[in-house]
Amino acid sequence: MFKLSKKLQALPPYLFLEMDKAKRQARAEGRDIIDLGIGDPDQPTPKYIIEALYRAALDPANHRYALDQGMPVLRRAIESWYKRRFNVSLNPDSEILPLIGSKEGIAHFPLAFLNPGDYSLVPDPCYPPYKGGTILAGGKPYLMPLLKENAFLPDLKKIPFNARKKAKIIFINYPNNPTSAVVQQSFYQELIDFARKNKIIIISDLAYSEIYFDGYKPQSILELDGAREVVVEFHSLSKTFNMTGWRVGWASGNKKLIAALAKVKSNIDSGIFSAVQLAGIAALSAPQEHIEHMCTLYQERRDLLVSGLNSLGWQVDSPKATFYLWIKLPKTCGSLKFAGDLLEQANIVVTPGVGFGKYGEGYIRMALTVNRERIREALDRLKSL
Ligand SMILES: *Cc1c(COP(=O)(O)O)cnc(C)c1O
């Protein structure tokens, strides 16, 4: 009787559904599952942030609607974090917009700029909201394959004239989920030139800027000349401070683009719980030690899992950032089947690459969000397969 809208019908199928179901069932059967599937930090939110939330939650002034899109004090904390971290100066009133998690802003942004039939240039494999947000805004994702031979960067030269004409937005995400690839400045410069020439907005998703190893340190695209004309960058406290459940992120960059997103949001949500915003300030103002500690933790897990898998004959590259391994499978095997078999035979959950898009087929993703003891156990199970 009730027919789904064309937009909802056009959304890509949720390929993780089957995996989720199988995982739940395995747990219900009492099997000891090692979950390398989810990109959600296993460590708790640092205590000083929780205490800031508690103090703020006691104050009735924080119980009401959070007026404005983001408290001025939070915007200023973001401003000074940007200055310290990237040496980029932003205007807190016009160039920073707090979000209810960055996914929310990423998914809503296309509503501000796409008309029916317009394109977004979307990397594939990718974080699903780039496609979902585009389709829900009536646009079409134009896929840019991320291939190993191109270091998992989109090849801008291969985007045809017609697609450049129709495109309003290009999404990029480095350090990348799911491939864990990183970029150098030269790519950002090429991208900015491409975007200015073709009048395309750059959405740079920098969710993993604080998870890095081996002397590599991610940059913000806003550090580059000309970026401020065409860029909105999305950030989040989720991965940096183990705050995925809290829902705090922000957009920063070109003020007209930020204002357009704010207008969309003012019609949809009523801001972030003020106490959470104040806790977010505590997070951003914290000493650097938490970041160092977190990177060391993931690095130890990375080294253990990469060397363990390689000693089993897998061929796994060691990522310079993010908490993911992006692992090529033997040619003959589909990633859904591989992941399903691994769950059945070893009680290990991994994410099939095809769930991130068709160019993710042939890969699986493992997340470093379990402790070393469990990684050792996972390696033992793989060894005995
Ligand atoms: C985890 C993640 C985010 C962060 O999402 P939040 O909504 O801020 O929790 C954004 N982009 C990518 C690619 C991610 O993996």
Side-chain angles (χ1 to χ4, degrees), residues 35-150:
D35 193 349
L36 304 173
I38 46 172
D40 189 348
D42 59 310
Q43 295 295 300
T45 305
K47 209 159 166 209
Y48 68 88
I49 301 173
I50 299 170
E51 282 162 358
L53 173 73
Y54 177 69
R55 284 194 303 274
L58 289 173
D59 181 353
N62 294 326
H63 298 169
R64 313 187 68 186
Y65 283 124
L67 294 179
D68 302 327
Q69 293 283 343
M71 298 166 112
V73 279
L74 174 59
R75 291 165 178 259
R76 282 202 293 278
I78 294 168
E79 174 200 10
S80 57
W81 183 83
Y82 244 90
K83 183 76 189 156
R84 261 183 291 137
R85 174 63 178 83
F86 299 116
N87 199 24
V88 168
S89 301
L90 295 168
N91 181 333
D93 299 322
S94 59
E95 294 179 317
I96 294 172
L97 178 67
L99 301 168
I100 310 170
S102 62
K103 181 180 188 179
E104 176 263 298
I106 289 166
H108 283 142
F109 189 85
L111 286 171
F113 289 97
L114 295 189
N115 288 309
D118 286 345
Y119 286 4
S120 291
L121 306 176
V122 177
D124 185 301
C126 75
Y127 182 56
Y130 310 153
K131 289 176 187 165
T134 296
I135 291 167
L136 290 175
K140 282 204 180 108
Y142 177 90
L143 303 185
M144 304 181 290
L146 302 187
L147 307 173
K148 185 174 168 68
E149 58 261 36
N150 207 26

Side-chain angles (χ1 to χ4, degrees), residues 260-315:
L261 179 57
K263 188 170 178 185
V264 171
K265 280 172 57 61
S266 70
N267 284 281
I268 294 176
D269 70 68
S270 302
I272 313 163
F273 178 28
S274 301
V276 169
Q277 297 194 47
L278 292 165
I281 295 171
L284 287 166
S285 317
Q288 200 54 19
E289 281 138 53
H290 160 74
I291 307 280
E292 283 163 24
H293 177 79
M294 172 180 68
C295 290
T296 305
L297 184 85
Y298 289 131
Q299 189 203 315
E300 287 168 355
R301 293 173 178 182
R302 177 199 70 168
D303 292 346
L304 180 66
L305 189 54
V306 168
S307 69
L309 289 171
N310 283 332
S311 74
L312 293 177
W314 297 45
Q315 280 166 5

Side-chain angles (χ1 to χ4, degrees), residues 101-103 127 130 173 177 205 207-208 236 238-239 247 324:
S102 62
K103 181 180 188 179
Y127 182 56
Y130 310 153
N173 161 225
N177 175 13
D205 179 355
Y208 294 94
S236 170
S238 287
K239 312 296 162 51
R247 315 313 300 135
Y324 301 115

Side-chain angles (χ1 to χ4, degrees), residues 163-178:
R164 294 176 193 218
K165 278 262 149 270
K166 287 190 175 171
K168 297 282 157 48
I169 297 172
I170 182 168
F171 289 94
I172 51 144
N173 161 225
Y174 294 99
N176 183 256
N177 175 13

